[in-house]
Amino acid sequence: MKKSIRFKIFITFALLIVAFQAAFLIANNYFLDDIYLSSTRNRMEEVFRTYKTQIEEGTGIENAIMELSRDNGVTITVIEDGGVTGTSSFERRANQQFRITPFILNNIKILDARMEREYLFTELPKSAAPNKSLVFIGRLGQGRYIVIEKPLALIEQNTMIARRFIMISGFLTLILGSAAIFIVSGRITRPVVKMTKTAKAIAKQDFKGKVDYEGEDELGDLARSINLISDELDGALTDLKDANAKLTEDIERERRLEKMRRRFVSSVSHELKNPISMIQAYADGLRHNIAKDPEAMAEYAEIISDESDKMASLIKDLLDLSAYESGTFTINKAWFDFASMVKESSERQKKLFDEKGVGLETRLPEKAMIYGDALRMEQILSNFLANALRHSDEGGKVKVSLENSKEGSRLRVYNTGSPIEENEIENIWTSFYKI
């Protein structure tokens, strides 16, 4: 079963709290009594020092005993020359015949035997008093002693109260700490959950979602990195899709060009058969003297010359195609007068227009200087005029106009022939394409 990181953090810290609380309770169970005893002994020693100082300053014995007893929760008795001179116990003050117990006297003797020490601690057994007590006996000097007592039952009661308080506070700490950990873990893991969702979306090529966490910490750096990766991948995939689409388009265009090229070569090869057959036939006619008179012979020779020109033109087209495919097709640019070229090309083809009965009109400026390959431009111009003538009916017109502007020069060729079909217009610039 998959567990969320929030659940793992919550369980981890909750277990840590439980472990710490358990260790604390165990330590208190074993050491709390000793801690209280040690604290009580320190307090008794402090009472002894305070009382001794107050006596030296001349403070009243009775007042000093009562104040120190009340403030520290102990019973104080002052002994001088084997008798009680002051006590904080109401019972002992009411009992005028109060005598010092043998237990206390024996411990005073033990203290006197150790002159290097000012005080000693002992425990008053239950057989010597109603309650078992911790006893402090201190030497005040000049045969005077102070006895400070505190029932061990009070210490045990205090330790029990402390243990109960520690258990209750530990339980409350566990409850409140767990609630706090649950809330805090949610705040900590919220951006992680968002990052996970965004990363999954990125894996599915969905780059719209972003991690909206702007913290100046490691999670903030990670969020910004994921957003940056998303943007970079989005851009890269978009470029890749565009490149793939362009590649597909180029491949498809290349396939179409290859088909057109094969069809063109096949057409040229087929068209070469006719002039070859014509030249061979009329050459055989001349060789076998089929043409008897000079006029017939001249006609045969003219036909052979015309067919040879056709073959030369077809072969030139094939050579240009071969040069283009091999990468040796060169463009030589220079400044030239395009208006003059249009004029000369129109005049050179004027005879062909007259033979077909198609009118040719030109409207040209005196000069139109352009930068390009004059030879290739002349080929283009000749093809334009030849196509305009080919698709014009007898009695039609072809108009050629050239205009200069700031952007350059614009050539317009208009004819009165049948228009190209709408669905074919986009193919007029495709290489080797024929309707």
Side-chain angles (χ1 to χ4, degrees):
M1 181 180 177
K2 184 178 179 181
K3 295 181 176 61
S4 67
I5 188 172
R6 182 180 186 179
F7 177 78
K8 292 179 179 179
I9 291 175
F10 171 74
I11 291 298
T12 300
F13 280 95
L15 290 176
L16 284 175
I17 291 176
V18 172
F20 283 132
Q21 289 295 329
F24 189 58
L25 288 174
I26 292 172
N28 285 332
N29 186 57
Y30 282 98
F31 302 111
L32 191 59
D33 290 338
D34 294 336
I35 292 172
Y36 262 99
L37 282 173
S38 177
S39 177
T40 302
R41 287 176 178 178
N42 292 334
R43 175 64 67 180
M44 286 179 170
E45 184 180 351
E46 186 178 343
V47 169
F48 167 66
R49 302 290 182 194
T50 304
Y51 178 78
K52 194 173 182 181
T53 302
Q54 290 180 350
I55 294 302
E56 291 174 354
E57 292 176 352
T59 305
I61 295 176
E62 194 69 25
N63 291 335
I65 290 174
M66 296 304 294
E67 287 180 4
L68 289 172
S69 176
R70 184 181 61 251
D71 294 342
N72 296 277
V74 294
T75 300
I76 301 175
T77 301
V78 177
I79 299 173
E80 184 177 357
D81 296 330
V84 176
T85 59
T87 181
S88 63
S89 173
F90 292 102
E91 181 182 354
R92 290 175 182 175
R93 279 188 295 170
N95 186 4
Q96 300 295 328
Q97 303 298 322
F98 173 74
R99 292 182 179 181
I100 303 171
T101 63
F103 177 81
I104 298 297
L105 291 174
N106 288 335
N107 280 278
I108 290 175
K109 291 178 181 180
I110 294 172
L111 180 62
D112 288 340
R114 301 175 183 176
M115 297 302 296
E116 74 280 0
R117 298 186 60 180
E118 287 187 297
Y119 58 87
L120 61 78
F121 286 97
T122 185
E123 289 186 7
L124 182 64
K126 202 169 184 180
S127 59
N131 296 311
K132 188 177 181 180
S133 302
L134 177 66
V135 179
F136 174 95
I137 300 175
R139 185 187 300 111
L140 297 173
Q142 298 179 356
R144 289 183 300 163
Y145 301 89
I146 185 170
V147 180
I148 305 173
E149 302 170 62
K150 186 162 187 175
L152 291 178
L154 291 177
I155 298 176
E156 293 174 358
Q157 186 179 4
N158 289 337
T159 56
M160 288 181 62
I161 293 172
R163 285 194 182 96
R164 191 176 303 163
F165 174 77
I166 290 171
M167 291 182 65
I168 294 173
S169 62
F171 180 75
L172 291 176
T173 300
L174 178 61
I175 299 299
L176 296 177
S178 298
I181 291 169
F182 185 78
I183 296 172
V184 172
S185 62
R187 294 186 61 184
I188 293 175
T189 58
R190 190 177 298 116
V192 177
V193 173
K194 291 181 180 179
M195 293 175 199
T196 303
K197 291 181 180 179
T198 303
K200 289 181 179 179
I202 291 174
K204 296 179 181 179
Q205 299 184 11
D206 180 8
F207 305 104
K208 295 179 181 178
K210 292 292 184 292
V211 183
D212 55 346
Y213 182 76
E214 299 295 334
E216 296 298 327
D217 51 19
E218 289 81 358
L219 288 177
D221 293 338
L222 181 58
R224 286 184 284 273
S225 298
I226 291 176
N227 291 337
L228 180 60
I229 290 173
S230 177
D231 293 337
E232 292 293 334
L233 283 176
D234 189 14
L237 284 178
T238 300
D239 294 341
L240 185 61
K241 288 178 181 178
D242 294 341
N244 186 51
K246 188 175 184 302
L247 179 61
T248 303
E249 183 181 348
D250 291 343
I251 292 173
E252 185 62 29
R253 184 171 61 252
E254 186 62 30
R255 287 176 181 172
R256 292 198 304 268
L257 287 175
E258 182 61 25
K259 290 181 181 179
M260 294 176 188
R261 190 181 297 111
R262 290 177 182 176
R263 189 162 60 245
F264 174 76
V265 172
S266 176
S267 299
V268 171
S269 300
H270 178 73
E271 291 181 13
L272 281 174
K273 293 178 182 179
N274 290 332
I276 290 174
S277 299
M278 294 285 289
I279 290 172
Q280 185 177 3
Y282 281 96
D284 287 342
L286 290 174
R287 186 175 60 186
H288 293 95
N289 294 320
I290 295 177
K292 302 294 184 180
D293 55 78
E295 291 181 1
M297 294 175 65
E299 182 181 355
Y300 275 38
E302 185 176 355
I303 291 173
I304 292 172
S305 178
D306 289 341
E307 296 301 323
S308 298
D309 290 340
K310 289 180 181 179
M311 286 183 61
S313 177
L314 289 172
I315 291 171
K316 184 177 180 301
D317 289 343
L318 285 175
L319 291 174
D320 286 344
L321 175 62
S322 177
Y324 180 78
E325 290 181 338
S326 64
T328 59
F329 189 84
T330 57
I331 300 292
N332 301 312
K333 292 185 177 182
W335 286 100
F336 65 92
D337 185 4
F338 191 44
S340 176
M341 178 184 287
V342 175
K343 182 178 180 181
E344 291 176 2
S345 183
S346 300
E347 291 176 352
R348 190 164 52 247
Q349 297 192 41
K350 186 68 166 61
K351 183 178 179 182
L352 298 175
F353 279 82
D354 292 341
E355 289 177 355
K356 192 174 180 179
V358 177
L360 177 60
E361 299 179 6
T362 58
R363 188 176 63 189
L364 308 173
E366 293 183 2
K367 186 175 288 188
M369 300 301 295
I370 65 172
Y371 184 72
D373 190 323
L375 177 61
R376 305 304 174 191
M377 289 297 294
E378 186 175 7
Q379 290 177 339
I380 293 171
L381 180 60
S382 297
N383 286 336
F384 255 115
L385 294 177
N387 284 333
L389 175 61
R390 184 180 303 113
H391 295 283
S392 296
D393 298 327
E394 185 177 354
K397 288 184 179 181
V398 175
K399 297 180 181 180
V400 180
S401 61
L402 182 64
E403 300 173 355
N404 290 327
S405 65
K406 294 180 180 180
E407 290 79 17
S409 299
R410 173 173 291 183
L411 177 69
R412 300 176 185 270
V413 179
Y414 164 82
N415 69 340
T416 57
S418 300
I420 299 174
E421 295 292 335
E422 195 72 27
N423 59 342
E424 298 284 357
I425 291 179
E426 63 180 10
N427 297 315
I428 62 176
W429 298 112
T430 302
S431 302
F432 316 119
Y433 187 82
K434 289 185 178 181
I435 297 176

